[in-house]
Every structure is written in C-alpha cells, then in structure tokens.
C-alpha cells in the first residue's frame, strides 16, 4: 500500500499543471456545481478530487461511489475525511451478481442526490456526472434533468456500449475515445494488467498459449506485450477481423471464438462483453484453462460465472472477488482470476503506476473544466449527445504527460490530427483556448 505522500497530489505533475493553467486563466465557478461520480477509489482519484476542491468545488456537493473490485479502504477514509459524500456499496454475496447489485447502489446514490437537490436547490447551478463505465449516466434521475442543467463525462468505452448513453438527451464529453486516451494509454494499461500476473505467467511460461479475444486498443496492446515477453499469442475479434493488421510473429489470428478457446490455455478477455454466453464452451475444455479479464466489471465471463451455481461443491466458501476455481466433470480445471473482474484492480489503491495513470486523471480534470465552462454554450446551441474532449485540453495534458514519459508521439502538437483521431462534436471555446492552448485556428468537426 502506498504511503500518504501519494495522496497529496504533489507528485502528480500533470494534474498540477492542469490546475495551475486553470487558475491562471481564471477558474470557472465550481462552488455551485453538484458532482455525481462513479470512480475507482484509487490514490490518484483522491488527488483528482483534491484538485477540484482547490479550484472551488464544495466537497459537500460531491457524491461519489467506488466499485467493489477496486475498493481501497485507506482511500475511502481519506475521501470521507475531505467531506465528500461517499456512497456505501452493498457486499457481493455470489458470483455474477455484480451488475444488478451495482445498479441498485447507483440508484440509491441518485436518491440521495435528489434529497440534496431539494434541500440545496438555490445553491446548485448545474450537475456534472463523472462516470466510469456508464452506470451513473444510465441511471440519471429524470426530475433532476428537468430542473437543473446537466452534463456527463464518460472515460471508458464500456460506458459507450450503453445505447441510452450513446444516444443521450444530455451532452456528455467522450474522454473514452479521445486521441490522447486511445493513443497514449493502452501500453500503460497492458503493462499494469500483466504486471499483476507476472508470477503466474512466469511459473508456466513453457506451456502457456495466450488467447486475446478483442483486438481493440487494449487487446492489441496486451497481445503485443505478451509477444514481447516471448509468449505464443492467438487473437480473435468478432467485430474487427477485416480491419486487423497485426503481423507480429508468432501471432496467429483465429477464425472464431471456439478456435481460440481450444488453442489457448490462458484466455484474455478484452471485449467488454460476455464471451461465454454459449455454455457449449465447457464442452471445448479438454485441458486446464485460466481466464483473465482486461475490461470493466465482470462482463467477459459473466454467463460462466452465473452458472457456477450448477457446481455447488466448487463454490463453497469462495469470495466473489477472489480467484474462482472450477473443476469440471471431465476432471479439468477452470480458473477465473479475480472473480472475472479486471486483473489490474485489487484493494491496494493502484491499478497502474501513478506516473502513468495521471494521464487519465489529467484528462478527467480538464474534462470537468470543459464541462462547467461550456455547458451554457451547449444549452444555448441545443447540443446534446457525444461531445469531443476539446483538442486544446488533449494537447495540453498529453504534452505535460509526454514530458515525463519516454514516448516519441509528436502528433499532439497538431490540433487537426487530434480532432481527426477523437470522437464527438467539436466546438470552439475561447476560454479553453486561453486556458490550455495556443491561439492557432481550430478546424471544425461536426457531430457524428
């Protein structure tokens, strides 16, 4: 566990730079902004909220909920001591129940928010929903929308899979697929994922055949990292097979899901969806196999987890957040690491090194500033749905991060490139250009 010096934020230069830039430009008024947040309770997340408070946010106006599989008690204690309204989590009692329990907890937080609004309505100008995975945006309280201006921020592609969020009636800033995140973050995430299981991989290196299902930005990064470590890697992607240009040997592209399950004994789920919805998968297992999730929640192997109840002798005394060990009738063993939750999260307060993950925290802080500063403009222009994280925000955060990280990525000096490689509607903002950027003319990109 990290020491308290990691909570102060003094060692996260990217967040410091964003905060200082906002102060120099004149911070937007945050005192009457109500924040409703779902975030992993990590030490660097605590730093993010410290910066928001330094910029004028009232901690009593911050409602925050963590996630079961990344809950760090030290971080939770610190956040509560800051005056933030932390939502308790209902304990998980069984495998595969995370989604239903979590959704109810999010609803409970929104009920608390509604009560807070009724009591403090004259002191609330707008609501910012800071989301990780789409569940908070999904459960928006309708009467809150009708009374108070509201804007969302989504940082993961899992949240974009939600049809309601993608076609939202409110504006939300898409950090998940902004250029800075999709081009700079994947290698750091892959390093963090594999560092958590390096002992398991090393112990069986001579016999491991890795299957990576889902070859988006994270899946490709995981596959390349495994290849660099000397493992044989199989890959499959149901949606992007025709677009995959991935020739690094010894990488083998499989034709279907059954093929990759049969040929691999360490299976990395990188899709954000359930790979095991067809339970005939159990009939394919003729050797011991280990399943590892690289995405949010317990989605990758959800149906398999739910059906563990059919094997009661295997689930006795098992914690849904720990490794799941299942012995099949044919004598072979299935291991689902960390209960099917992403393997880079645990209760230590870290998912990746603070030096690397501060990129994401910096993008979130800049996204909050964009949300508050530009919401009146969005309302006036009747803009809803997916909004691009402003290219000046991305350029600034990426530049600060690249100063500290060995990386030759120079495209972020070109705002046109940033726009072309980001999703969502782009609009001008004199304030954001003053705060984060240059005075060069920004090309437009219309809403998709």
């Amino acid at each position: 566990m990290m020491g308290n010096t990691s909570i102060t934020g003094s060692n996260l230069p990217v967040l410091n730079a964003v905060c200082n830039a906002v102060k120099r430009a004149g911070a937007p008024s945050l005192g009457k902004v109500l924040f409703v947040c779902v975030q992993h309770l990590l030490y660097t997340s605590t730093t993010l909220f410290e910066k928001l408070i330094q910029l004028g946010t009232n901690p009593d106006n911050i409602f925050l909920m963590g996630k079961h599989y990344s809950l760090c008690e030290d971080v939770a204690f610190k956040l509560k001591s800051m005056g933030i309204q932390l939502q308790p989590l209902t304990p998980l009692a069984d495998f595969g129940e995370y989604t239903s329990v979590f959704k109810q907890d999010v609803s409970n937080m929104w009920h608390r928010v509604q009560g807070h609004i009724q009591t403090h309505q004259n002191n609330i100008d707008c609501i910012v929903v800071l989301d990780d995975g789409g569940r908070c945006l999904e459960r928006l309280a309708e009467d809150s929308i009708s009374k108070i201006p509201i804007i969302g921020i989504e940082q993961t592609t899992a949240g974009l899979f939600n049809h309601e969020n993608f076609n939202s009636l409110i504006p939300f800033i898409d950090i998940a697929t902004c250029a800075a995140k999709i081009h700079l973050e994947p290698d750091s995430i892959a390093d963090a994922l594999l560092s958590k299981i390096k002992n398991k991989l090393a112990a069986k290196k001579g016999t491991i055949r890795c299957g990576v299902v889902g070859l988006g930005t994270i899946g490709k990064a995981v596959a390349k990292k495994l290849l660099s470590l000397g493992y044989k890697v199989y890959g499959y992607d149901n949606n992007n097979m025709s677009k995959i240009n991935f020739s690094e040997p010894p990488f083998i592209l499989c034709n279907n899901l059954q093929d990759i399950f049969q040929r691999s004994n360490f299976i990395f789920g990188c899709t954000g969806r359930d790979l095991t919805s067809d339970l005939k998968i159990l009939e394919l297992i003729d050797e011991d196999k280990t399943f590892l999730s690289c995405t949010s929640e317990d989605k990758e192997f959800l149906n398999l987890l739910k059906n563990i109840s059919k094997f009661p002798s295997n689930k006795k005394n098992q914690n849904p957040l720990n490794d799941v060990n299942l012995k099949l009738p044919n004598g072979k063993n299935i291991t689902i690491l960390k209960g099917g939750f992403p393997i880079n999260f645990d209760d230590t307060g870290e998912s990746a090194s603070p030096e690397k993950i501060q990129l994401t925290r910096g993008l979130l802080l800049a996204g909050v500033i964009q949300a508050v500063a530009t919401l009146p403009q969005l309302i006036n222009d009747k803009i809803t749905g997916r909004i691009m994280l402003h290219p000046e925000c991305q350029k600034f955060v990426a530049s600060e991060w690249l100063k500290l990280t060995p990386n030759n990525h120079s495209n972020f000096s070109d705002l046109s490139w940033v726009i072309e490689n980001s999703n969502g509607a782009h609009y001008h903002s004199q304030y954001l250009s003053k705060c984060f950027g240059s005075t060069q003319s920004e090309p437009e990109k219309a809403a998709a």
Side-chain angles (χ1 to χ4, degrees):
M1 183 172 291
M2 299 168 63
N4 285 340
T5 55
S6 298
I7 301 177
T8 64
S10 60
N11 61 337
L12 296 181
V14 174
L15 270 77
N16 292 338
V18 173
C19 193
N20 290 336
V22 173
K23 288 178 179 177
R24 285 194 297 269
S29 178
L30 296 175
K32 293 186 177 182
V33 178
L34 177 62
F35 288 89
V36 187
C37 315
V38 169
Q39 292 284 295
H40 294 289
L41 300 191
L42 308 176
Y43 287 103
T44 55
S45 303
T46 304
T47 305
L48 170 65
F49 288 105
E50 284 187 331
K51 296 302 180 186
L52 287 175
I53 293 170
Q54 290 175 18
L55 290 171
T57 301
N58 178 0
D60 192 52
N61 278 346
I62 302 176
F63 287 77
L64 172 62
M65 191 172 117
K67 299 189 178 186
H68 295 80
Y69 54 91
S70 59
L71 177 62
C72 175
E73 293 294 345
D74 189 19
V75 172
F77 178 82
K78 174 65 178 179
L79 290 164
K80 286 189 285 188
S81 71
M82 291 162 56
I84 291 173
Q85 304 208 41
L86 198 62
Q87 177 69 25
L89 295 174
T90 302
L92 300 178
D94 204 353
F95 304 109
E97 70 169 15
Y98 173 83
T99 298
S100 59
V101 171
F102 192 76
K103 282 185 173 183
Q104 184 57 55
D105 285 342
V106 172
S107 293
N108 293 340
M109 179 169 66
W110 272 109
H111 287 312
R112 289 181 61 199
V113 169
Q114 288 174 308
H116 185 81
I117 290 172
Q118 291 173 359
T119 305
H120 302 86
Q121 189 165 5
N122 293 333
N123 292 314
I124 299 173
D125 289 337
C126 67
I127 299 173
V128 173
V129 180
L130 185 59
D131 207 355
D132 183 325
R135 300 301 185 189
C136 199
L137 284 166
E138 176 187 68
R139 308 294 290 184
L140 278 171
E142 292 296 333
D143 58 346
S144 297
I145 297 176
S146 64
K147 295 177 182 177
I148 301 173
I150 188 165
I151 186 169
I153 300 171
E154 177 53 58
Q155 71 184 78
T156 68
T157 53
L160 300 180
F161 287 156
N162 187 309
H163 180 78
E164 293 179 15
N165 295 344
F166 195 84
N167 296 284
S168 178
L169 296 178
I170 67 166
F172 72 93
I173 297 173
D174 177 6
I175 288 179
T177 59
C178 74
K181 199 167 192 292
I182 62 178
H183 285 273
L184 298 179
E185 185 185 65
D187 287 343
S188 299
I189 298 300
D191 286 340
L193 288 161
L194 298 183
S195 70
K196 293 287 186 175
I197 58 166
K198 60 183 179 181
N199 293 336
K200 295 181 185 294
L201 291 174
K204 300 181 180 181
K205 186 164 186 176
T207 61
I208 289 178
R209 305 181 308 280
C210 298
V212 180
V213 185
L215 296 172
T217 54
I218 297 300
K220 281 185 178 180
V222 169
K224 288 180 179 179
K225 182 67 175 179
L226 288 167
L227 288 167
S228 74
L229 295 173
Y231 294 99
K232 189 171 187 178
V233 180
Y234 298 91
Y236 173 73
D237 192 309
N238 185 50
N239 297 319
N240 299 307
M241 292 297 284
S242 63
K243 301 178 182 178
I244 292 171
N245 180 15
F246 200 84
S247 58
E248 289 87 342
F251 179 81
I252 300 171
L253 199 59
C254 293
N255 294 321
N256 53 60
L257 194 57
Q258 289 188 354
D259 187 22
I260 199 168
F261 269 78
Q262 287 179 311
R263 300 174 78 173
S264 312
N265 54 13
F266 267 60
I267 298 159
F268 295 78
C270 305
T271 68
R273 298 176 175 88
D274 185 5
L275 304 181
T276 62
S277 56
D278 182 0
L279 282 182
K280 290 181 180 179
I281 186 176
L282 296 178
E283 299 175 9
L284 303 174
I285 296 177
D286 57 2
E287 64 176 325
D288 294 349
K289 293 187 184 290
T290 300
F291 295 82
L292 313 92
S293 174
C294 303
T295 59
S296 298
E297 304 185 3
D298 57 355
K299 299 173 184 175
E300 298 287 338
F301 319 113
L302 183 58
N303 220 25
L304 181 58
L305 285 165
K306 288 182 177 179
N307 278 271
I308 287 177
S309 59
K310 294 182 178 180
F311 305 90
S313 61
N314 290 278
K315 63 175 285 188
K316 185 178 181 181
N317 298 323
Q318 286 199 4
N319 183 333
L321 297 173
N322 292 341
D323 294 353
V324 177
N325 298 295
L326 176 64
K327 190 175 186 66
L328 299 178
N330 65 3
K332 303 306 178 182
N333 294 297
I334 291 176
T335 301
I336 307 174
L337 295 187
K338 295 187 180 294
F341 294 103
I343 56 176
N344 57 320
F345 286 104
D346 49 32
D347 60 358
T348 62
E350 286 188 308
S351 64
S353 69
E355 294 77 16
K356 292 182 177 180
I357 205 66
Q358 66 175 320
L359 169 71
T360 303
R361 303 294 173 261
L363 294 172
L364 287 173
L365 182 56
V368 169
I369 299 304
Q370 175 178 341
V372 176
T374 63
L375 182 55
Q377 178 183 347
L378 295 175
I379 293 172
N380 184 65
D381 294 341
K382 298 181 180 179
I383 297 176
T384 61
R386 209 173 187 184
I387 305 297
M388 183 186 298
L389 179 63
H390 199 278
E392 292 283 18
C393 295
Q394 293 189 57
K395 178 183 175 182
F396 182 89
V397 173
S399 298
E400 293 297 322
W401 188 76
L402 288 168
K403 290 177 184 177
L404 310 166
T405 305
N407 194 308
N408 295 322
H409 212 303
S410 59
N411 288 330
F412 288 94
S413 61
D414 181 356
L415 289 179
S416 296
W417 180 90
V418 174
I419 293 169
E420 288 302 315
N421 285 272
S422 301
N423 288 309
H426 168 54
Y427 54 91
H428 295 303
S429 169
Q430 291 184 349
Y431 171 77
L432 293 174
S433 294
K434 174 185 176 183
C435 186
F436 294 115
S438 63
T439 57
Q440 73 179 81
S441 177
E442 301 170 18
E444 289 282 356
K445 180 179 178 181

